[in-house]
Amino acid sequence: MNRPSALRLRAAAALTVPALLLGGATTALAAPAAPAGTVAWTETAIFVGTAYGYSPNAAIVAAGEVAYSKAISAFWLRSECNIGLTNVTSDGLGWYLGEARLYCRR
């Protein structure tokens, strides 16, 4: 290799390295891609709904619907959410207060 071509290679390398560091138009290396089937990030949310019902089951169903309506208002799809924790308490007069926690992930 003669001297002028060696100088040209060094000059080209000197110009390419800053472009690589800054992500310029002459970037020669690509960022490694994530393996297939993996997710880079996950968004999660928890919504709590409470409602009264005439039976324990009716109170839980109503509380779940309140939680789902909160999630839908926050632009979550119903299919992205699952009811995970429920609780029922009696008021002593024949009505039940239901609480439902809705866990959402996308």
Side-chain angles (χ1 to χ4, degrees), residues 3-52:
R3 188 173 204 101
S5 63
L7 289 175
R8 271 183 275 171
L9 286 174
R10 285 188 197 150
L15 292 174
T16 305
V17 170
L20 287 173
L21 294 176
L22 297 175
T26 60
T27 302
L29 301 174
T38 60
V39 177
W41 53 270
T42 302
E43 183 180 3
T44 60
I46 299 173
F47 299 96
V48 178
T50 57
Y52 279 97

Side-chain angles (χ1 to χ4, degrees), residues 1-105:
M1 181 182 287
N2 59 15
R3 188 173 204 101
S5 63
L7 289 175
R8 271 183 275 171
L9 286 174
R10 285 188 197 150
L15 292 174
T16 305
V17 170
L20 287 173
L21 294 176
L22 297 175
T26 60
T27 302
L29 301 174
T38 60
V39 177
W41 53 270
T42 302
E43 183 180 3
T44 60
I46 299 173
F47 299 96
V48 178
T50 57
Y52 279 97
Y54 57 88
S55 70
N57 188 44
I60 290 174
V61 169
E65 290 302 317
V66 170
Y68 273 117
S69 67
K70 288 181 180 181
I72 291 169
S73 296
F75 303 107
W76 287 85
L77 297 177
R78 201 172 171 98
S79 61
E80 296 171 331
C81 302
N82 293 314
I83 294 178
L85 180 68
T86 60
N87 188 20
V88 177
T89 55
S90 175
D91 66 355
L93 300 174
W95 286 90
Y96 298 89
L97 176 64
E99 179 183 338
R101 288 186 183 265
L102 189 67
Y103 298 96
C104 301
R105 184 173 76 180

